[in-house]
Structure formats: C-alpha cells, structure tokens
C-alpha cells in the first residue's frame, strides 16, 4: 500500500475513468486510487473493476446508490482513507481538468514545504484556466475573491477542487459536521483548516476544461457557495477552533 491516495468521484465518466487511472499509475510516485462512483448508469464502475484486476491492490472502488453530492463523496473517501492508514489524501476530478502529473507537485509541497494542505491553484500566478467561456472564468475568479473578502482567508483559489491533505488535518476536522455538499464544500474544508491554524500552500496549476463527458456544475451548486460563505463566517464568530499543536 502506498502512503498517498487519490480520491476521484465519478458519475457517468466512462469516457475518462480508464485513462485517468492509467495516468496516475504511470507517475513515478506511488499513488493508490479510490474511485467513488455514485451509481453511474453508463458502466463507469465496470471499467474501474477491470482496472482493479490490471493494477491489483492499488485501485479501489466504493459504489454508492444515486447522486449524493460531491462533498459527501469526499467525506466518504476521507474516512475510508483514514481507516486504512494513508498519510496523504488528494482530491482530483476524473475529467483531466486537473493534470495527473501535478499530483507529484502537491505531494512534494506537503513533504518538502511542510504544508498541511496543498492546493492546486488556478489563481496564485494570474488566471490559469484553459477552454472555459470568459463568463465562467470571471464567475470563478470573482467567487474566490468574494470568499476571501467575507472569510478573510489567505487563499487565492478558495474553490479549488485539486487538494492534497495531510491526514492530521482530516483527523482534526470533524468530518461529520462538514455541512455543504456541492461547490461550497471546497470552501468549507479550506476555511476550517485555516481556522485551525494548519499551513496551506498554493501550488500553481493550469486548469483545462473537460474534453469528454458532461460537466456537473449548475446554478444551485454555485448558489450554495454564495450564501454558504456568509453562514460560515457568521458561525465562526461564535466558535473556538483549537489550533494545530
């Protein structure tokens, strides 16, 4: 077993899941992969099972019934990883919007820069997004700016979904009390890690819009983030966060 795990949630990713697994397996660092599939009707899970045979002991599948939300998928994966002793747990999309080669850089930030959280950041060195409509680029960029303004969190890409966590962070956060299931999940996790005093390092990446498959983003997910940030900030004013020892 590797000390590092990559969690990849899937729903109807049959066009991408085989290739994304192969790409992770080809990295010089050893990463295990956990696919959390929310009942994809297109056969995604069957492809993953074939990969489990191809890479014995390194590919794992958790199949859930129905679309239960991105946040709950990651919480499920975090608990799975902690119970099996992984030291570094990374979130990554299945659609190659995150370059698998950047997994090595996130892991290095945790190991060499002593980061507790390494964020693959689209905005730490400008705007590094490819093939997104300008409207969506602006929405994402200003959403992160809005989150920084409301929360005072010193993270440029607050909504990033490409993140490596040291297990100590996930153990310190009460995963059962993470409230948000969609877009705001990423903000809530970073905010609570920051409030606990964990070291967050942003690693510049280039985000590329998916080529195959269908995006799962919608207006309700974005709306959850807008109002969820205010709720996070207000709650934090009346709560104590034990600092990292």
């Amino acid at each position: 077993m590797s000390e590092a795990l990559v969690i990849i949630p899937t729903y109807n990713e049959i066009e991408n899941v085989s290739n994304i697994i192969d790409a992770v397996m080809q990295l010089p660092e050893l990463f295990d992969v956990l696919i959390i599939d929310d009942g994809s009707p297109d056969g995604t899970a069957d492809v993953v099972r074939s990969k489990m045979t191809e890479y014995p002991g390194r590919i794992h599948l958790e199949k859930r019934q129905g679309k239960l939300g991105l946040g709950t998928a990651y919480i499920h994966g975090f608990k799975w990883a902690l119970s099996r002793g992984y030291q570094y747990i990374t979130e990554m999309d299945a659609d190659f919007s995150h370059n698998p080669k950047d997994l090595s850089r996130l892991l290095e930030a945790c190991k060499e820069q002593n980061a507790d959280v390494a964020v693959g950041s689209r905005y730490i060195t400008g705007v590094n997004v490819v093939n997104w409509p300008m409207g969506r680029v602006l929405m994402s960029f200003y959403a992160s700016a809005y989150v920084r303004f409301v929360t005072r969190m010193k993270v440029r890409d607050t909504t990033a979904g490409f993140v490596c966590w040291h297990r100590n962070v996930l153990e310190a956060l009460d995963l059962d009390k993470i409230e948000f299931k969609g877009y705001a999940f990423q903000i809530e996790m970073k905010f609570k890690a920051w409030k606990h005093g964990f070291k967050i390092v942003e690693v510049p990446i280039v985000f590329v819009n998916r080529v195959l498959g269908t995006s799962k983003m919608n207006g309700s997910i974005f709306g959850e983030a807008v109002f969820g940030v205010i709720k996070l900030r207000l709650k934090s004013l009346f709560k104590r966060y034990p600092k990292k020892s």
Side-chain angles (χ1 to χ4, degrees):
M1 187 183 82
S2 170
E3 65 176 351
L5 178 74
V6 183
I7 301 173
I8 306 176
T10 57
Y11 182 76
N12 285 349
E13 291 290 356
I14 195 167
E15 300 100 333
N16 294 303
V17 71
S18 178
N19 290 334
I20 199 75
I21 289 173
D22 288 340
V24 175
M25 292 296 100
Q26 290 162 12
L27 294 173
E29 295 82 6
L30 286 180
F31 290 89
D32 291 348
V33 173
L34 171 63
I35 302 292
I36 301 180
D37 186 67
D38 272 5
S40 299
D42 69 346
T44 296
D46 293 332
V47 174
V48 176
R49 291 187 187 98
S50 71
K51 289 295 175 181
M52 293 170 69
T53 302
E54 186 175 345
Y55 304 104
R58 296 189 59 196
I59 311 301
H60 308 277
L61 172 66
E62 290 284 287
K63 188 169 173 59
R64 307 195 303 169
Q65 298 303 314
K67 295 181 70 175
L68 303 176
L70 181 71
T72 66
Y74 278 127
I75 295 297
H76 183 101
F78 292 157
K79 291 179 177 180
W80 188 97
L82 292 174
S83 71
R84 287 159 177 79
Y86 288 97
Q87 296 298 306
Y88 303 97
I89 299 103
T90 303
E91 308 171 33
M92 189 174 73
D93 291 346
D95 61 6
F96 284 92
S97 55
H98 305 136
N99 187 339
K101 292 180 180 179
D102 288 331
L103 286 167
S104 303
R105 298 171 60 227
L106 295 185
L107 185 61
E108 181 183 15
C110 288
K111 288 186 169 183
E112 305 298 328
Q113 299 182 49
N114 296 315
D116 299 303
V117 184
V119 177
S121 178
R122 298 163 291 184
Y123 306 129
I124 195 66
T125 56
V127 178
N128 294 311
V129 177
V130 177
N131 291 338
W132 258 9
M134 183 54 66
R136 188 168 176 188
V137 173
L138 292 173
M139 182 179 74
S140 175
F141 180 81
Y142 285 110
S144 280
Y146 164 77
V147 173
R148 290 196 306 275
F149 175 77
V150 173
T151 64
R152 304 295 190 264
M153 182 167 43
K154 307 303 180 185
V155 176
R156 295 289 300 177
D157 195 348
T158 55
T159 60
F162 192 27
V163 185
C164 183
W165 306 88
H166 192 284
R167 68 174 291 121
N168 293 343
V169 183
L170 300 179
E171 289 173 332
L173 302 183
D174 189 341
L175 296 177
D176 289 327
K177 291 187 178 178
I178 299 297
E179 295 184 43
F180 299 114
K181 294 180 172 62
Y183 203 56
F185 165 81
Q186 303 293 359
I187 302 167
E188 182 179 4
M189 288 290 295
K190 296 180 191 70
F191 178 72
K192 290 185 173 179
W194 174 69
K195 291 293 286 186
H196 278 284
F198 287 104
K199 181 180 179 182
I200 302 176
V201 170
E202 291 188 81
V203 176
I205 65 161
V206 175
F207 180 96
V208 180
N209 195 29
R210 70 160 63 233
V211 175
L212 299 173
T214 304
S215 173
K216 313 305 186 293
M217 179 63 68
N218 59 52
S220 64
I221 291 174
F222 185 71
E224 179 194 57
V226 171
F227 296 107
V229 170
I230 298 172
K231 184 178 180 181
L232 274 178
R233 173 66 172 161
L234 290 176
K235 279 192 170 183
S236 73
L237 299 176
F238 304 99
K239 182 177 179 180
R240 292 182 66 252
Y241 295 84
K243 294 299 182 182
K244 173 190 175 185
S245 58

